[in-house]
Amino acid sequence: MDLLKNKVIDFYLNGSIHVSFAVFALVQMTFYFCQLPFDAVVSAMAFTGTLFSYNFIKYAALVYHQRKNLSLRLKWICTVSFLALGIGIISFLMLNLKAQLVTFGLLILSVLYAIPIHRKIPNLRNWAGIKVYIVCFCWATVTLLVPVVNADMALNWDIGIKFFQRFILVFVLIGIFEIVDLQYDDDNLKTIPQTLGIVKTKWLLSVLLLPFYVIEFFKDGFQPIQVWNNLVIVLLTLFFICCASPSRTKFYTLFWVESVPIIWWLLIVFEK
């Protein structure tokens, strides 16, 4: 029973289902803050698109080299990933044209992130220091701009603030990942902790939580309840920053750290 439980948890985390729920949660927050009705198409596309793209980036090369002798685990991940791709394509076709263009731009960026365009030019994932900004931009765009554009809502000051806020949050969460992965990352990646060291990285991530929290007050549509919700997220993230170290297991980041957006959304759900 314990073995089965561990396999299910491994599939849930390493099959990118949990991180897809995190993206799904941020999309739901966009609907709430922008006073938009639930959009099943955008929600499905965000979830399935995240699941397929993350698994493609993580496993495409491995699957290609082991294609004649895939493990049962990889076969299941491939099956779920291609199912997600099918649902994602259908969802994409149901978006309006503007949302499709934004999503297609993200698709191109994801392809360049995972696949080198030339033998002498590495993929964007391996460009020193640029990985974190690409991921932050993609998360903020797919969870905020795609739902807003698909609803034909104007891009205003509040949307800009929410975009910047989400960019910061994802940057901080990735920073925690990079601290935990420090012993595994190639030195050429020039990650934040590789460049600054663990202590300075923790200080940087902690300081960034200040603008994340404060800019909420500058929204035209400021909602007082977010003072407390965001404070909970700041304190929780600060706790994860303080406890981060290269000795932590993958479960620390793949489950707990990636749960931050989900918890942020659940705070709203339970307040309704």
Side-chain angles (χ1 to χ4, degrees):
M1 183 61 72
D2 287 341
L3 179 60
L4 177 61
K5 180 182 176 181
N6 290 336
K7 286 185 177 180
V8 170
I9 293 174
D10 175 79
F11 178 75
Y12 176 74
L13 297 178
N14 292 299
S16 304
I17 298 174
H18 190 61
V19 68
S20 300
F21 272 121
V23 170
F24 175 89
L26 289 178
V27 171
Q28 307 316 303
M29 290 184 67
T30 297
F31 297 150
Y32 175 78
F33 287 121
C34 297
Q35 299 181 339
L36 298 173
F38 172 74
D39 189 328
V41 172
V42 171
S43 299
M45 195 207 66
F47 182 89
T48 57
T50 301
L51 194 152
F52 177 80
S53 60
Y54 264 70
N55 284 344
F56 180 79
I57 290 169
K58 289 192 292 186
Y59 300 114
L62 182 62
V63 169
Y64 177 77
H65 289 104
Q66 298 183 7
R67 58 189 180 277
K68 295 182 179 179
N69 190 30
L70 287 180
S71 65
L72 181 61
R73 173 176 173 268
L74 273 179
K75 287 180 180 178
W76 272 105
I77 289 176
C78 287
T79 300
V80 172
S81 298
F82 281 111
L83 178 62
L85 176 61
I87 297 173
I89 291 173
I90 294 172
S91 301
F92 172 80
L93 295 175
M94 295 174 69
L95 299 175
N96 67 28
L97 180 59
K98 289 184 291 184
Q100 285 180 343
L101 291 175
V102 174
T103 305
F104 186 74
L106 290 176
L107 174 63
I108 296 299
L109 192 58
S110 297
V111 170
L112 293 176
Y113 182 84
I115 302 174
I117 58 178
H118 190 274
R119 286 179 298 176
K120 296 182 179 180
I121 303 177
N123 56 36
L124 296 181
R125 189 184 188 189
N126 292 319
W127 280 25
I130 197 173
K131 168 186 173 181
V132 61
Y133 301 104
I134 295 174
V135 176
C136 292
F137 177 80
C138 288
W139 270 62
T141 301
V142 76
T143 64
L144 182 67
L145 296 189
V146 172
V148 167
V149 170
N150 194 61
D152 289 319
M153 182 177 176
L155 301 181
N156 54 30
W157 172 256
D158 283 4
I159 298 300
I161 287 180
K162 295 305 295 182
F163 187 92
F164 185 53
Q165 190 178 51
R166 292 192 185 178
F167 191 98
I168 293 175
L169 178 63
V170 177
F171 185 94
V172 171
L173 297 182
I174 291 176
I176 299 174
F177 265 81
E178 291 182 341
I179 291 174
V180 175
D181 293 342
L182 186 59
Q183 58 184 318
Y184 305 110
D185 285 337
D186 190 314
D187 291 339
N188 293 324
L189 288 178
K190 301 299 180 183
T191 63
I192 306 170
Q194 285 176 345
T195 304
L196 300 179
I198 294 178
V199 175
K200 289 183 178 179
T201 297
K202 288 187 175 185
W203 273 108
L204 172 63
L205 302 180
S206 300
V207 169
L208 284 174
L209 290 175
L210 183 60
F212 166 81
Y213 183 75
V214 171
I215 59 175
E216 185 75 30
F217 296 92
F218 291 89
K219 287 174 56 183
D220 292 332
F222 171 69
Q223 296 170 293
I225 191 63
Q226 281 308 105
V227 173
W228 305 108
N229 289 345
N230 289 0
L231 181 59
V232 171
I233 293 305
V234 165
L235 294 176
L236 179 63
T237 306
L238 189 60
F239 172 78
F240 286 142
I241 292 171
C242 293
C243 295
S245 77
S247 63
R248 292 285 180 183
T249 65
K250 286 285 188 178
F251 187 82
Y252 182 78
T253 47
L254 290 178
F255 181 78
W256 290 114
V257 175
E258 285 184 347
S259 292
V260 170
I262 299 174
I263 294 172
W264 201 14
W265 173 50
L266 290 178
L267 287 173
I268 294 172
V269 171
F270 292 137
E271 287 164 0
K272 288 184 178 181

